[in-house]
Amino acid sequence: MSIPLLDLNRQYESIKDEVQQAIDEVLESQYFIMGDQVKEFEQAVGRYCEVNHAYGCASGSDALLLALMAMDIQPGDYVLTSPFTFFATAGAISRLGAIPVFLDIEKDSYNLDPKQVQQFLEGEHPLYAKLNPEPEQIKAVIPVHLYGQMVDMKPLQELAKAHGLMVIEDAAQAIGAAYNNQKAGSVGDFGCFSFFPSKNLGAFGDAGLITVKDKAHAEKADILRLHGAKPKYHHSMVGINSRLDTIQAAVLLVKLKYLDDWSQRRREIAHTYNRMFEEAGVTADVSTLGEHGSLEEADKIITPVETTGSESEGGRHIYHQYTIRTGQRDKVHDALKEHEIGHSVYYPVPLHEQECFADLGYKPGDCPVANVAAKEVVSLPIFPELTQSEIERVVEVVSKAVKS
Ligand SMILES: Cc1ncc(COP(=O)(O)O)c(C=O)c1O
């Protein structure tokens, strides 16, 4: 029995008729750019994420770029973020000539550590002396809600306020996640979403959306995605071409209705994995991790920790990924491969070590927790249609591998 990391066919089977009808309506209208479904979807996501302003765009990467452009990021500005994320987070910063400042992550959530941000903003972080920024050049922070769980936003928001920084939530992996009863994308000044097909809410191609708190920034983001023109052919700014296709909006409108049920099912699967790994006797507690997060016990794994709390505490991890930590990743990889079980490492090379950022002068030891995580994490199959027998098989193969 082979088990995929993600099987979009199973989801498609369950909504095929509805989606095809929605696409047909767009085809009949021949209104492919900024059709009615785009506005309808923007309003629906705005309600879902509890924000006043939401604009579709071509991808999550563009949503990040638009947020930085809307806040007028300039070459030489500094933007703080996590090194343990998909490349697009830092790519958007660099494309504008700004400088990404990679600060280390927490060993339990794998998210940007607010204590590192505090140290940096107070000039006490070793990287501060190295980068030597003028304080007024530090313009923004991009917390990334990795794997579907929100960053510890309260201290981060306080720090941003105290130091005059904008907060751009990279919520590409976290639509519907919550922290303190606040939805991802509704806490910071901007929220950036990706509807890449493999995301919890996935389009049939590239698609994204930006949420904006303040009205003036919202108007700017809206215009920037349309070449900076308002009215048409009158350009007050140099924008980009980044629209959400009407066909994608139509597909996403159908899928949005099911999103909460799908995320709930992902949560149940994650909790089942947790319980079964514990019953198999292979789980260790995060308190046993080394200083930088390394898992010393060879025959154990660390299952995901819900650092934003349970739903009754206002938290909600939506398990875009179910990611474990193991000190024996090669062995686990070999066993999963042998048994044809899909798995992946998000992410094997932290951004501060990427070749394209070599001129920024980071050393691997600048973000040691991210470095250890990159060597020890592995994501296992999770999607709403995953069956109980598939979950059992994954647990059996992983547990046997770490115990052997
Ligand atoms: C954390 C993160 N940020 C940004 C992106 C970029 O989104 P997209 O692929 O839609 O450009 C992704 C998704 O791939 C992501 O996972």
Side-chain angles (χ1 to χ4, degrees), residues 212-283:
V212 192
K213 189 163 268 174
D214 156 272
K215 192 158 182 266
H217 282 127
E219 279 166 8
K220 212 167 156 193
D222 182 19
I223 296 171
L224 281 166
R225 71 179 168 155
L226 304 169
H227 293 288
K230 194 176 183 181
K232 211 171 179 184
Y233 307 124
H234 293 74
H235 300 261
S236 53
M237 293 174 269
V238 179
I240 57 174
N241 173 13
S242 185
R243 296 169 293 227
L244 175 65
D245 287 341
T246 312
I247 285 185
Q248 301 300 353
V251 170
L252 291 165
L253 265 169
V254 171
K255 289 194 174 193
L256 183 62
K257 290 188 291 191
Y258 301 102
L259 181 62
D260 272 344
D261 287 346
W262 289 337
S263 295
Q264 194 51 36
R265 179 69 194 130
R266 283 172 179 267
R267 287 174 54 76
E268 283 162 18
I269 291 167
H271 296 158
T272 304
Y273 267 137
N274 289 351
R275 182 174 44 75
M276 293 187 66
F277 277 126
E278 202 171 339
E279 282 165 10
V282 294
T283 53

Side-chain angles (χ1 to χ4, degrees), residues 58-62 64 85-89 144-146 170-173 193-196 199 206-208 320 347:
S59 66
S61 305
D62 275 5
L64 289 158
T85 172
F86 180 60
F87 175 76
T89 317
V144 183
H145 306 319
L146 200 71
D170 184 338
Q173 302 185 6
F193 292 89
S194 165
F195 306 120
F196 186 81
K199 296 291 193 276
D206 277 310
H320 173 56
Y347 294 94

Side-chain angles (χ1 to χ4, degrees), residues 62-354:
D62 275 5
L64 289 158
L65 190 63
L66 286 164
L68 291 164
M69 288 172 79
M71 58 166 287
D72 208 21
I73 282 287
Q74 295 295 317
D77 286 343
Y78 291 81
V79 180
L80 319 183
T81 193
S82 165
F84 200 55
T85 172
F86 180 60
F87 175 76
T89 317
I93 301 168
S94 280
R95 275 177 64 178
L96 294 174
I99 300 158
V101 178
F102 297 116
L103 298 171
D104 215 351
I105 57 169
E106 297 173 333
K107 50 191 179 185
D108 50 1
S109 70
Y110 306 105
N111 277 333
L112 180 64
D113 185 347
K115 290 194 284 301
Q116 292 277 322
V117 174
Q118 177 168 11
Q119 252 191 41
F120 188 85
L121 291 173
E122 291 175 357
E124 283 160 11
H125 194 288
L127 279 174
Y128 194 90
K130 192 155 142 183
L131 297 169
N132 200 21
E134 293 296 333
E136 58 277 7
Q137 278 183 296
I138 308 171
K139 294 283 173 60
V141 57
I142 309 185
V144 183
H145 306 319
L146 200 71
Y147 303 147
Q149 173 156 258
M150 286 179 71
V151 171
D152 189 4
M153 291 301 290
K154 192 163 179 276
L156 208 62
Q157 287 286 113
E158 285 167 7
L159 285 164
K161 195 167 173 213
H163 294 266
L165 266 58
M166 288 275 181
V167 177
I168 301 172
E169 291 175 68
D170 184 338
Q173 302 185 6
I175 188 159
Y179 165 91
N180 268 345
N181 287 312
Q182 287 180 292
K183 286 271 187 76
S186 75
V187 184
D189 298 286
F190 298 89
C192 301
F193 292 89
S194 165
F195 306 120
F196 186 81
S198 63
K199 296 291 193 276
N200 286 29
L201 181 63
F204 287 0
D206 277 310
L209 179 135
I210 178 171
T211 56
V212 192
K213 189 163 268 174
D214 156 272
K215 192 158 182 266
H217 282 127
E219 279 166 8
K220 212 167 156 193
D222 182 19
I223 296 171
L224 281 166
R225 71 179 168 155
L226 304 169
H227 293 288
K230 194 176 183 181
K232 211 171 179 184
Y233 307 124
H234 293 74
H235 300 261
S236 53
M237 293 174 269
V238 179
I240 57 174
N241 173 13
S242 185
R243 296 169 293 227
L244 175 65
D245 287 341
T246 312
I247 285 185
Q248 301 300 353
V251 170
L252 291 165
L253 265 169
V254 171
K255 289 194 174 193
L256 183 62
K257 290 188 291 191
Y258 301 102
L259 181 62
D260 272 344
D261 287 346
W262 289 337
S263 295
Q264 194 51 36
R265 179 69 194 130
R266 283 172 179 267
R267 287 174 54 76
E268 283 162 18
I269 291 167
H271 296 158
T272 304
Y273 267 137
N274 289 351
R275 182 174 44 75
M276 293 187 66
F277 277 126
E278 202 171 339
E279 282 165 10
V282 294
T283 53
D285 192 84
V286 273
S287 61
T288 63
L289 293 176
E291 186 192 350
H292 301 312
S294 61
L295 175 55
E296 315 295 348
E297 291 172 277
D299 56 349
K300 295 280 190 298
I301 64 167
I302 297 282
T303 53
V305 184
E306 293 194 357
T307 50
T308 50
S310 64
E311 285 186 276
S312 61
E313 293 164 319
R316 190 166 187 248
H317 190 328
I318 51 113
Y319 290 98
H320 173 56
Q321 299 296 342
Y322 181 86
T323 304
I324 62 165
R325 183 192 279 274
T326 163
Q328 303 196 81
R329 193 170 66 190
D330 289 347
K331 215 190 225 185
V332 171
H333 162 78
D334 290 347
L336 289 167
K337 195 163 173 227
E338 187 194 335
H339 292 92
E340 295 179 34
I341 296 174
H343 58 286
S344 193
V345 173
Y346 306 112
Y347 294 94
V349 184
L351 297 186
H352 68 291
E353 286 192 64
Q354 294 288 348

